């Protein structure tokens, strides 16, 4: 084989390249060190476990967002879906036994996601438009079903969930464990499973995928459905933490989820992104909020800082792709 | 400003370039006089396109000197190169699909001149330009609607402007049929007379000996010197390129062709393209060539059978059973394969690694029932194919967009030729592939046929289609005009059928 391109082991700027390549993890570590230095509360287990609890819900929908974005799409409905599904879960918890409530909520999430998926994959609607419509529909339904006010858990099942959501196992909050399991499953799926490989292929060149005999529509449909199911999972977690389902939950979460995915280096054009980096993106967003809270920075400056970090992260990535 | 008496229009001396740790060019020199056509040759991945991109300002050079008209230049981006009079037709098409032909042709001139554009005049000018080149394309049509041949013509038109001093063409004819090539050459001779320097890259050595005055051969990023074309010949150039003699470009075929057709196509007519009343059959083990002029409907026929275009009527019979191919998914399910001529848009996944590209069609053989991939098997398969097709790359994890054009083509082929098919359509199999690698691809096609696959090859390359086919069907205006048996193969016969004339008796 004519391998003339000799791979040299070391090259000048190797370390810099490494940092650029793994910039999300790098930013994360820098932020952790920085936070630990400026606040002595930061590294306490109470604070860290709070931080993890806060990001888990957002984290789960961010994973859904990631797999949608990998195909070159976007799912704007996830925030409202969390609200609607939290309301539905609260209603169900008060009506049927817990396993059924959980299962039904996830099935409903999957079905609602399927509606977006159907519109995008089979009706060729732009993902932005289809999911924007779903976003307002879900929010509206949330208010209708809850009659505008939060619905509290009233059954032993609800109590069980609320205990589960607020407790830890081996020092890690249970809901963070759920989130991490989802991250790991997604990681494995994207690397070692045909489904993951195919959605990445579709996102990087849809026409070539079609002509490779890939069922492009089926996979595009499925990613939205899965995103819906993950929104349901997030909704269950978020509702359980507060012991209620409210139509005001998940406000603008779709934007945070997109931000997390983008900070994690995924391309909005599709075909590029990993679960581990999205996890980093979620943690970075959570960290920023956490440390600014600890420093008593009000919420408006927090938003500014968040925006600046997003720009910074994406600029670093452009540097990488050169 | 210093002007020297150098007889050269453009001189690149001592050019070196690395991509990361990979050394692509080392101390390369090339000099072109005004009114000269200079051929740049070399194997896939030798560094031809990279050298050109350094000249035009796409890539910065690591070291070396570029002198244009006696003055050193350092274009930092393609726009600067253009302003200096360096126009390039790149190997990969770079048109904006949603703009019109005229808009594309004048796109790069926007920013520089006035604020308002007179689009009507621009469309007229573009039309005149295309007409003067001798091609038929509507300047107001959207680029998306053009065939790949027409897109290539638009690229060429785009590169021509009144201030062009150096024109570079990086494999401009890979999709052209002989008549298109002839037209292009006439145009190049006209430009040459005007004193424009032309650098011409091609793997079709016949073309080089028809038009070039001098030639530089690159080998693994090093130039082996320049010479006048009259001082060398095809074998000499090949020896410089690949370091050995090449015996038979077309390997001998000793395949037994089955009696019963594996695929029969009857009266196939397309809904949205010019293809109509197409009937033919291909037998297991047979290599069936489809020839014809650009735009005659060859690609469209393959796409129609593959389910990528919509059918109006007609039947497909696979192994004696009627099948329906409403989509490529159906076709692939029936083990029908299709390698597109448009590798960038329809063939490969540019941002993904070679491994991920090849695996896409291979999951059946490398994954479990639940869809989990056996990564060891995956590597084995992919590395085997990289070696077999001689894909020039440090490893299987390189993104396809960082491969040279010819090596990208090999990846596109590897995707399909590595799986079990019953029938496979290959549209321009060796587009942009060097002479040495062509042989490997022909061997592979033979190997595939030997397994009892019906191979349908569409090609504009006359020697190729005659060299590898058992039988040739010639398309004319959307349907088959005639069929040639092996003893009837000749360029003349193919051309006659292509333009809708009977053979000479
Ligand atoms: N952007 C890039 N990043 C990294 N490597 C690159 C890049 N572009 C090209 N290369 C590598 O540089 C080498 C030379 O590529 P180049 O495209 O110049 O070859 P070429 O002579 O034009 O080949 P072909 O005949 O196949 O078009 C190849 O090994 C290719 O993989
Ligand atoms: Mg090239």
């Amino acid at each position: 084989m004519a391998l003339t391109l000799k791979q040299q082991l070391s090259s000048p700027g190797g370390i810099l390249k490494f940092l650029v390549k793994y910039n999300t993890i790098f930013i994360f570590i820098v932020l952790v060190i920085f936070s630990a230095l400026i606040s002595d509360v930061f590294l306490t287990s109470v604070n860290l476990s709070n931080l993890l609890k806060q990001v888990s819900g957002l984290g789960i929908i961010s994973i859904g967002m990631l797999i949608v974005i990998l195909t070159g799409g976007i799912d704007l409905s996830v925030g409202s879906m969390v609200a609607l599904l939290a309301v539905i879960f609260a209603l169900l918890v008060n009506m049927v036994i817990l396993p059924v409530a959980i299962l039904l909520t996830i099935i409903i999430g999957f079905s609602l996601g399927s509606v977006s998926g159907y519109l995008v994959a089979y009706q060729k609607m732009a993902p932005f438009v289809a999911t924007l419509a779903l976003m307002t529909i879900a929010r509206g339904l949330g208010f209708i079903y809850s009659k505008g006010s939060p619905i509290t858990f009233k059954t032993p099942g609800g109590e069980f969930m609320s205990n589960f959501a607020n407790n830890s196992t081996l020092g890690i909050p249970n809901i963070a464990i759920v989130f991490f399991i989802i991250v790991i499953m997604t990681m494995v799926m994207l690397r070692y499973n045909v489904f993951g490989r195919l959605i990445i292929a579709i996102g990087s060149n849809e026409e070539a995928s079609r002509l490779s005999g890939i069922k492009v529509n089926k996979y595009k449909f499925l990613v939205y459905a899965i995103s819906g199911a993950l929104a349901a999972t997030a909704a269950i977690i978020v509702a359980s933490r507060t012991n209620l389902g409210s139509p005001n939950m998940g406000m603008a979460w779709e934007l945070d989820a997109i931000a997390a995915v983008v900070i994690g280096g995924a391309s909005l054009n599709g075909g590029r992104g990993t679960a581990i980096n999205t996890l980093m993106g979620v943690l970075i967003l959570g960290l920023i909020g956490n440390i600014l809270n600890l420093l008593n920075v009000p919420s408006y400056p927090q938003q500014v800082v968040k925006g600046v970090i997003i720009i910074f992260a994406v600029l670093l990535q452009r540097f990488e792709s050169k | 400003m210093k002007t020297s008496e150098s007889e050269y229009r453009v001189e690149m001396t001592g050019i070196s370039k690395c991509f990361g740790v990979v050394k692509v060019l080392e101390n390369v020199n090339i000099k072109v006089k005004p009114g000269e056509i200079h051929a740049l040759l070399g194997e896939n991945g030798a560094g031809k396109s990279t050298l050109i991109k350094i000249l035009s300002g796409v890539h910065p050079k690591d070291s070396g000197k570029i002198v244009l008209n006696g003055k050193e230049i350092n274009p930092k981006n393609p726009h600067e190169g253009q302003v200096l009079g360096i126009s390039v037709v790149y190997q990969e098409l770079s048109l904006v699909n949603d703009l019109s032909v005229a808009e594309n042709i004048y796109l790069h001139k926007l920013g520089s001149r006035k604020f308002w554009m007179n689009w009507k005049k621009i469309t007229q000018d573009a039309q005149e330009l295309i007409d003067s080149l001798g091609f038929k394309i509507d300047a107001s049509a959207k680029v998306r609607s053009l065939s790949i041949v027409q897109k290539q013509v638009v690229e060429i038109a785009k590169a021509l402007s009144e201030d062009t001093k150096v024109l570079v063409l990086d494999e401009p004819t890979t999709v052209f049929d002989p008549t298109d090539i002839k037209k292009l050459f006439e145009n190049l001779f006209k430009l040459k007379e005007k004193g424009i320097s032309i650098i011409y890259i091609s793997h079709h050595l016949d073309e080089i000996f028809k038009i070039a005055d001098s030639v530089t051969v690159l080998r693994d990023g090093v130039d082996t010197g320049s010479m006048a074309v009259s001082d060398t010949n095809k074998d000499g150039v090949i020896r410089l390129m690949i370091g050995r003699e090449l015996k038979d470009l077309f390997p001998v075929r000793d395949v037994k062709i089955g009696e019963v057709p594996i695929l029969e196509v009857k009266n196939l007519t397309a809904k949205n393209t010019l293809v109509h009343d197409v009937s033919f059959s291909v037998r297991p083990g047979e290599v069936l060539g489809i020839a014809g002029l650009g735009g005659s409907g060859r690609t469209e026929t393959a796409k129609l059978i593959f389910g990528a275009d919509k059918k109006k009527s007609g039947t497909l019979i696979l192994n004696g059973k009627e099948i329906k191919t409403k989509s490529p998914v159906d076709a692939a399910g029936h083990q029908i394969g299709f390698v597109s001529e448009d590798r960038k848009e329809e063939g490969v996944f540019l941002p993904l690694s070679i491994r991920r590209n090849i695996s896409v069609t291979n999951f059946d053989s490398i994954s479990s029932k639940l869809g989990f991939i056996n990564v060891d098997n995956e590597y084995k398969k992919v590395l085997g194919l990289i070696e077999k097709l001689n894909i020039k790359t440090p490893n299987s994890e390189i993104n396809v967009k960082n491969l040279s054009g010819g090596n990208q083509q090999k990846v596109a082929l590897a995707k399909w030729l590595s799986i079990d098919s019953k029938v496979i359509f290959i549209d321009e199999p060796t587009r942009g592939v060097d002479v040495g690698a062509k042989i490997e691809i022909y061997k592979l096609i033979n190997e595939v046929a030997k397994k009892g696959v019906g191979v349908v090859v569409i090609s504009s390359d006359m020697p190729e289609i005659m060299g590898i086919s058992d039988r040739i069907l010639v398309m004319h205006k959307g349907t088959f005009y005639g069929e040639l048996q092996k003893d009837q193969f000749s360029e003349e016969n193919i051309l006659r059928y292509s333009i809708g004339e009977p053979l000479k008796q």
Side-chain angles (χ1 to χ4, degrees):
Chain A
M1 213 177 126
L3 275 190
T4 51
L5 316 172
K6 279 168 229 121
Q7 192 107 30
Q8 294 166 19
L9 285 174
S10 60
S11 69
I15 294 174
L16 183 72
K17 263 181 219 138
F18 179 84
L19 290 183
V20 168
K21 181 151 184 217
Y22 296 101
N23 70 70
T24 328
I25 297 175
F26 173 62
I27 296 175
F28 174 68
I29 293 172
V30 169
L31 275 176
V32 169
I33 296 174
F34 177 75
S35 311
L37 287 179
I38 59 170
S39 159
D40 36 341
V41 192
F42 176 73
L43 277 183
T44 60
S45 65
V46 177
N47 183 53
L48 288 182
S49 106
N50 254 337
L51 168 62
L52 284 179
K53 279 185 203 161
Q54 271 158 13
V55 299
S56 294
L58 174 69
I60 292 170
I61 63 164
S62 300
I63 293 294
M65 187 66 80
L66 169 70
I67 61 170
V68 171
I69 284 179
L70 279 175
T71 64
I74 194 124
D75 188 350
L76 296 178
S77 70
V78 288
S80 312
M81 293 269 267
V82 166
L84 171 62
L85 291 158
V87 167
I88 289 178
F89 180 64
L91 289 170
L92 285 170
V93 156
N94 294 341
M95 276 172 3
V96 295
I97 56 164
L98 182 62
V100 175
I102 292 178
L103 198 68
L104 275 179
T105 308
I106 292 177
I107 290 175
I108 293 171
F110 187 89
S111 312
L112 287 170
S114 302
V115 176
S116 304
Y118 169 77
L119 293 175
V120 172
Y122 298 101
Q123 295 301 324
K124 313 287 169 217
M125 209 178 261
F128 193 97
V129 178
T131 59
L132 185 70
L134 257 285
M135 166 174 145
T136 74
I137 291 172
R139 185 70 67 188
L141 286 177
F143 277 97
I144 293 171
Y145 290 145
S146 64
K147 304 204 176 61
S149 49
I151 294 173
T152 15
F153 294 1
K154 293 191 192 92
T155 52
E159 201 176 315
F160 175 85
M161 279 314 284
S162 144
N163 280 333
F164 173 81
N166 288 296
N167 286 335
S168 300
T169 307
L170 299 172
I172 307 173
N174 291 335
I175 57 173
I177 294 177
V178 174
F179 171 37
F180 293 150
I181 291 174
I182 289 173
V183 169
I184 291 168
M185 279 169 52
T186 310
M187 229 167 81
V188 171
M189 180 199 77
L190 290 180
R191 266 176 179 255
Y192 301 111
N193 193 283
V194 174
F195 177 78
R197 292 289 189 81
L198 292 183
I199 62 177
I200 291 173
I202 290 169
S204 64
N205 188 342
E206 194 169 324
E207 192 54 24
S209 304
R210 205 167 74 92
L211 293 178
S212 297
I214 297 173
K215 295 174 181 155
V216 172
N217 291 342
K218 173 180 141 187
Y219 290 101
K220 281 172 78 174
F221 169 82
L222 274 177
V223 291
Y224 291 91
I226 292 173
S227 175
L230 288 173
T233 313
I236 294 171
I237 279 177
V238 177
S240 301
R241 266 192 78 207
T242 48
N243 214 15
L244 54 80
S246 149
N248 288 309
M249 283 173 160
M251 235 10 134
W253 274 20
E254 60 281 347
L255 301 181
D256 280 345
I258 294 170
V261 171
V262 169
I263 291 174
S267 156
L268 285 184
N269 295 326
R272 206 183 61 186
T274 64
I276 193 80
N277 277 333
T278 297
L279 168 66
M280 291 299 144
V282 170
L283 292 178
I284 287 171
L285 277 182
L287 256 178
I288 299 169
N290 183 261
I291 191 67
L292 293 177
N293 277 339
L294 292 179
L295 296 176
N296 287 323
V297 178
S299 82
Y300 296 134
Q302 281 197 26
Q303 294 183 5
V304 176
V305 174
K306 212 152 79 180
V308 171
I309 297 269
I310 294 174
I311 294 174
F312 181 60
V314 175
L315 280 180
L316 260 179
Q317 283 145 21
R318 216 181 43 182
F319 193 46
E320 164 198 21
S321 57
K322 268 190 184 159
Chain B
M1 202 203 285
K2 181 189 136 230
T3 42
S4 83
E5 305 77 64
S6 168
E7 55 175 326
Y8 293 104
R9 165 66 51 77
V10 59
E11 298 167 78
M12 297 178 82
T13 41
I15 304 288
S16 296
K17 172 80 188 168
C18 291
F19 283 113
V21 294
V22 182
K23 191 147 214 158
V24 175
L25 293 173
E26 196 173 355
N27 197 11
V28 172
N29 304 292
I30 181 171
K31 295 178 180 167
V32 191
K33 293 177 195 162
E36 181 186 34
I37 300 184
H38 191 103
L40 182 56
L41 304 181
E43 279 185 292
N44 295 133
K48 306 178 294 293
S49 301
T50 306
L51 186 66
I52 291 320
K53 286 180 181 166
I54 288 175
L55 174 65
S56 69
V58 175
H59 293 315
K61 57 185 185 307
D62 293 347
S63 59
K65 202 166 138 188
I66 309 173
V67 175
L68 181 72
N69 284 331
K71 210 179 118 213
E72 183 166 354
I73 59 165
N74 270 312
K76 281 187 265 316
N77 54 50
H79 182 74
E80 274 187 39
Q82 234 148 38
V83 172
L84 288 163
I86 298 166
S87 300
V88 182
V89 176
Y90 293 102
Q91 187 171 6
E92 304 298 337
L93 295 170
S94 52
L95 300 174
V96 185
N97 269 328
D98 292 306
L99 294 184
S100 74
V101 169
E103 285 163 342
N104 265 283
I105 291 178
Y106 291 103
L107 192 60
H108 59 290
K109 302 212 176 89
L110 291 183
S112 55
R113 305 245 167 101
K114 288 165 273 171
F115 189 68
W116 295 106
M117 302 296 285
N118 182 345
W119 288 113
K120 206 167 155 197
K121 173 150 189 312
I122 279 173
T123 308
Q124 265 171 18
D125 289 354
Q127 193 67 61
E128 269 166 35
L129 179 58
I130 290 170
D131 292 348
S132 76
L133 293 177
F135 290 90
K136 283 200 189 67
I137 302 173
D138 174 9
S140 58
K142 287 261 184 300
V143 163
R144 188 181 296 285
S145 68
L146 303 185
S147 73
I148 191 161
V149 174
Q150 293 172 316
K151 285 183 188 170
Q152 183 68 47
V153 174
V154 176
E155 285 282 4
I156 293 169
K158 192 174 131 189
L160 298 175
S161 80
E162 55 274 35
D163 4 275
T164 300
K165 297 193 182 74
V166 181
L167 175 67
V168 186
L169 299 133
D170 194 349
E171 304 194 30
T173 58
T174 52
V175 290
F176 278 7
D177 65 42
T179 53
D180 295 331
I181 294 178
K182 209 165 142 230
K183 278 186 225 159
L184 174 68
F185 287 178
E186 281 161 12
N187 285 306
L188 293 187
F189 285 128
K190 271 190 242 160
L191 295 171
K192 180 181 151 101
E193 259 159 43
K194 282 197 211 152
I196 292 175
S197 303
I198 298 173
I199 299 178
Y200 190 90
I201 300 176
S202 177
H203 290 293
H204 294 277
L205 299 180
D206 298 330
E207 296 179 359
I208 304 303
F209 287 92
K210 254 184 226 155
I211 58 163
D213 304 300
S214 51
V215 46
T216 297
V217 178
L218 282 185
R219 175 129 177 253
D220 287 342
V222 182
D223 79 88
T224 60
S226 306
M227 65 208 124
V229 162
S230 50
D231 291 344
T232 182
N233 57 29
K234 222 163 136 179
D235 289 335
V237 172
I238 290 178
R239 213 176 312 120
L240 283 178
M241 268 171 73
I242 64 178
R244 62 189 157 93
E245 304 280 340
L246 260 194
K247 292 230 178 60
D248 310 300
L249 185 51
F250 301 104
V252 206
R253 304 201 58 223
D254 60 343
V255 176
K256 266 203 47 203
I257 300 175
E259 292 292 318
V260 192
I262 189 160
L263 177 72
E264 284 175 82
V265 177
K266 289 184 183 158
N267 297 314
L268 197 61
T269 298
K271 203 170 197 171
N272 306 317
T273 65
L274 75 173
V275 178
H276 62 96
D277 304 306
V278 167
S279 300
F280 71 97
S281 65
V282 53
R283 291 173 290 167
E286 184 180 33
V287 178
L288 173 66
I290 298 186
L293 300 182
S296 60
R298 296 168 303 173
T299 298
E300 289 80 357
T301 301
K303 282 194 165 175
L304 198 59
I305 296 168
F306 190 63
D309 286 347
K310 288 223 161 60
K311 301 176 194 63
K312 194 160 123 199
S313 60
T315 37
L316 301 181
I317 298 170
L318 185 71
N319 273 336
K321 268 200 223 106
E322 184 172 344
I323 58 162
K324 294 252 184 289
T325 53
K326 288 217 181 80
S327 71
V329 175
D330 294 344
H334 288 296
Q335 293 181 297
I336 298 175
F338 171 64
V339 184
S340 168
E341 65 182 329
D342 190 347
R343 63 171 168 257
K344 184 177 158 199
E345 305 264 344
E346 304 179 341
V348 295
F349 304 94
L350 288 176
L352 302 185
S353 67
I354 301 174
R355 176 167 60 94
R356 281 172 175 250
N357 263 273
I358 294 178
S359 297
V360 155
T361 47
N362 270 293
F363 286 131
D364 282 349
S365 63
I366 56 169
S367 67
S368 70
K369 276 223 169 63
L370 279 176
F372 282 95
I373 296 161
N374 181 329
V375 180
D376 284 346
N377 282 352
E378 182 181 27
Y379 274 106
K380 222 183 280 162
K381 180 133 214 168
V382 170
L383 292 176
L385 283 164
I386 289 178
E387 171 132 28
K388 192 166 195 175
L389 287 170
N390 201 0
I391 299 173
K392 188 174 165 182
T393 174
N395 59 55
S396 63
E397 302 311 296
I398 298 290
N399 287 346
V400 167
K401 86 171 166 240
N402 290 338
L403 294 181
S404 77
N407 286 304
Q408 291 181 4
Q409 178 69 20
K410 294 181 208 167
V411 173
L413 276 170
K415 263 176 62 190
W416 281 110
L417 294 184
S418 57
I419 59 170
D420 287 330
S421 311
K422 293 209 169 82
V423 182
I424 181 162
F425 290 79
I426 314 178
D427 201 353
E428 305 290 355
T430 59
R431 196 182 150 208
V433 168
D434 68 48
V435 273
K438 268 184 190 164
I439 301 183
E440 301 307 317
I441 289 174
Y442 299 148
K443 276 193 198 147
L444 194 64
I445 289 178
N446 277 345
E447 241 172 71
V448 168
K450 211 168 187 165
K451 285 194 275 183
V453 178
V455 182
V456 183
V457 173
I458 299 172
S459 177
S460 297
D461 183 337
M462 290 280 188
E464 171 171 296
I465 200 154
M466 293 191 285
I468 62 172
S469 309
D470 296 310
R471 187 158 61 97
I472 296 177
L473 292 170
V474 187
M475 278 216 121
H476 172 64
K477 295 194 171 156
T479 195
F480 287 129
Y481 188 82
E483 175 175 332
L484 297 167
Q485 302 303 325
K486 204 139 198 165
D487 54 355
Q488 299 170 294
F489 286 2
S490 74
E491 274 194 41
E492 190 191 329
N493 284 352
I494 294 177
L495 271 178
R496 279 186 166 274
Y497 275 161
S498 303
I499 55 174
E501 273 181 27
L503 300 187
K504 256 201 227 142
Q505 284 314 316

